[in-house]
Amino acid sequence: MTCIIDLDPATAETLHQALGADTLVLASFEVLRRHLDVHLGEDAVVVGPTVDLHTALTLAEQMRVSRPSLAVVLVRRRVDTSVLTDALRAGMFEVVDERDLAGLTTAVRRARDLARKLRETTGSSPSGEEHRPRGTLVTVFSAKGGCGKTTLATNLAAALADRGRREVCLVDLDLAFGDVAIALQLFPAHTIADAVPLAETLDIQAVSSLLTPHSAGLTTLVAPIEPGTAESIPASLISRVLDVLKRNYDYVVVDTPPAFDDHVLAAFDQSDMVALLATLDIPALKNLKLTLETLDLLNYPREKWRLVLNRADSKVGLALNEVEKTLKAPIIAQIPSSRDVPASINRGVPIVLDDPKHPVSLAIKAFAERYIVAAGGGEDEVPSDLRTDRRGLLRRRARVL
Ligand SMILES: Nc1ncnc2c1ncn2[C@@H]1O[C@H](COP(=O)(O)OP(=O)(O)OP(=O)(O)O)[C@@H](O)[C@H]1O
Ligand SMILES: [Mg+2]
């Protein structure tokens, strides 16, 4: 992938538009450095015209030594002999005039080709996957529709990314009616359905080409546009995609449909934690209780459960302690009800980014930090021989739900 760094969002967006979907805009050098530390397979960094020359040259000098396969491309408002000489000395890959967007595209394409050839000759991994600890995968689930899964998943992903502090990928597994793209006002060039023809060669390079970036630290893999496409996506492909993402992101957050389908089960198998959502109404609580019993029956480790109550302050005559007694499990997070939530979805901006001090944002951020980040991830995936058994059992159980 190619990173773009520019201090002016409008300029960064122009460069992003010119270079296409397989690029990521990063808002600061600090974020860029952290990103490069984690993503060892990056091909190129485009340094925009508002970044001062000295900083850009220092980056190129450092990368020439520490990451020879990474090309630094410099974009300037004016390209004169002095800039070209300095850039050459620093080991800059190419200098391009800001108005020459076609030249920039060609430079980045050349940089990518060169990086690929360098990797082929040195035999190094395209993604640096083997150097990186696995990220944490959190699946957001509730067996009843409309409980707030998409609301929690989008906001949890944004809270974990924390404006670029961490690298997060949000995956929309609601393959028939996914609305992550709408909730985040994205215009994706690709969806998860485009992974099907890539199945044989599914590495981070291939998966990255399907992602739609949202904001610093947060990217997305959105659901197909056509509802009927879901059947053509095998669950095994979902497992592979999630596995690749886990190896390359700090956190992977998965939004789900309100059903235990094969795709959701594949996500459960890969999950380090499952955020199980309910609201204070009897059908939602009944479904959560059945879900928990099912997970218990399957020996799905209770340490992975994270019970979350959405619209927790609704005055509906159900007390929290009664709910916990019925569920036989503690509710660890409560998200209040607020009309600002649908308003933020209509604006296409997660409320944790739009209004970080809002009670809903504070609740989701506290949940993210205390029960996801502080709890750490884990390598303890479900062994593959158990997965098939679990699927059969879960499917039988799902018919009851
Ligand atoms: N805490 C909240 N306060 C007010 N409204 C909320 C809250 N959480 C969710 N909503 C609203 O409830 C509706 C359903 O939320 P959401 O789409 O997140 O649910 P879902 O579980 O993803 O639904 P589905 O099962 O259809 O995918 C949305 O209109 C959303 O704005
Ligand atoms: Mg949803």
Side-chain angles (χ1 to χ4, degrees):
M1 207 196 265
T2 301
C3 304
I4 300 167
I5 172 124
D6 195 277
L7 309 178
D8 171 38
T11 310
E13 188 47 36
T14 308
L15 300 175
H16 184 218
Q17 294 284 338
L19 293 173
D22 193 18
T23 52
L24 183 67
V25 173
L26 300 171
S28 74
F29 262 82
E30 200 199 328
V31 175
L32 172 69
R33 284 189 193 284
R34 269 204 311 270
H35 179 86
L36 293 177
D37 283 346
V38 181
H39 296 93
L40 303 177
E42 296 299 54
D43 294 323
V45 175
V46 173
V47 182
T50 67
V51 174
D52 81 274
L53 185 61
H54 177 71
T55 313
L57 295 175
T58 309
L59 176 78
E61 256 163 8
Q62 288 168 346
M63 292 302 135
R64 179 161 60 168
V65 179
S66 60
R67 294 273 281 275
S69 71
L70 182 96
V72 183
V73 176
L74 182 66
V75 181
R76 293 289 94 177
R77 298 243 140 96
R78 236 189 70 208
V79 180
D80 57 23
T81 332
S82 132
V83 171
L84 283 173
T85 314
D86 288 345
L88 196 69
R89 283 202 188 111
M92 199 70 80
F93 183 76
E94 197 150 325
V95 184
V96 185
D97 189 297
E98 185 185 12
R99 288 152 299 182
D100 184 12
L101 293 176
L104 176 63
T105 314
T106 312
V108 168
R109 197 181 315 121
R110 281 186 44 237
R112 285 179 178 171
D113 287 346
L114 186 69
R116 201 192 59 246
K117 282 183 191 136
L118 270 170
R119 279 197 300 263
E120 280 166 6
T121 46
T122 58
S124 64
S125 147
S127 56
E129 286 179 13
E130 65 270 36
H131 303 294
R132 197 179 182 281
R134 292 165 72 82
T136 300
L137 191 141
V138 187
T139 297
V140 178
F141 182 75
S142 85
K144 181 176 175 282
C147 282
K149 293 180 294 297
T150 303
T151 305
L152 179 62
T154 47
N155 280 284
L156 178 62
L160 288 168
D162 195 12
R163 296 177 187 271
R165 193 149 70 94
R166 308 183 191 100
E167 291 299 321
V168 179
C169 184
L170 171 63
V171 180
D172 193 347
L173 269 199
D174 191 346
L175 299 179
F177 300 106
D179 39 23
V180 163
I182 289 171
L184 296 179
Q185 234 168 59
L186 298 168
F187 302 95
H190 295 284
T191 76
I192 203 163
D194 298 315
V196 175
L198 305 173
E200 296 305 310
T201 54
L202 209 63
D203 58 10
I204 187 59
Q205 231 82 8
V207 175
S208 296
S209 69
L210 309 179
L211 304 180
T212 309
H214 177 261
S215 49
L218 176 58
T219 192
T220 62
L221 181 53
V222 303
I225 314 290
E226 300 290 329
T229 324
E231 285 103 62
S232 62
I233 305 174
S236 56
L237 185 74
I238 300 296
S239 300
R240 177 73 188 126
V241 168
L242 295 178
D243 185 57
V244 169
L245 290 172
K246 268 183 88 166
R247 290 175 195 278
N248 288 276
Y249 284 83
D250 300 323
Y251 292 91
V252 179
V253 177
V254 180
D255 188 18
T256 57
F260 272 129
D261 63 20
D262 275 357
H263 302 111
V264 171
L265 298 180
F268 267 59
D269 282 342
Q270 296 266 357
S271 295
D272 299 290
M273 297 166 203
V274 181
L276 297 154
L277 256 185
T279 44
L280 275 174
D281 58 280
I282 299 293
L285 292 169
K286 182 215 82 180
N287 279 352
L288 177 55
K289 188 165 165 52
L290 284 170
T291 302
L292 298 182
E293 285 171 2
T294 308
L295 296 179
D296 256 346
L297 203 72
L298 300 172
N299 290 325
Y300 198 84
R302 281 187 171 229
E303 314 86 81
K304 295 188 176 191
W305 299 6
R306 303 284 185 274
L307 267 58
V308 178
L309 199 59
N310 191 18
R311 301 165 176 253
D313 51 350
S314 311
K315 303 272 179 285
V316 288
L318 285 171
L320 188 71
N321 57 350
E322 288 167 28
V323 170
E324 288 183 321
K325 221 189 282 171
T326 315
L327 295 175
K328 298 199 188 85
I331 304 273
I332 56 160
Q334 298 178 50
I335 303 167
S337 189
S338 167
R339 66 177 64 160
D340 298 329
V341 171
S344 78
I345 290 171
N346 291 343
R347 276 198 300 280
V349 188
I351 194 164
V352 296
L353 296 180
D354 203 20
D355 186 355
K357 299 246 160 64
H358 192 284
V360 169
S361 308
L362 295 177
I364 293 173
K365 288 196 288 182
F367 170 63
E369 293 299 330
R370 278 189 219 145
Y371 294 100
I372 307 285
V373 176
E379 301 280 317
D380 56 333
E381 270 179 59
V382 178
S384 54
D385 52 336
L386 257 183
R387 288 182 191 169
T388 347
D389 293 355
R390 289 184 157 203
R391 290 223 174 110
L393 273 168
L394 272 174
R395 234 180 271 120
R396 282 196 290 281
R397 180 77 175 171
R399 280 188 220 120
V400 182
L401 287 181

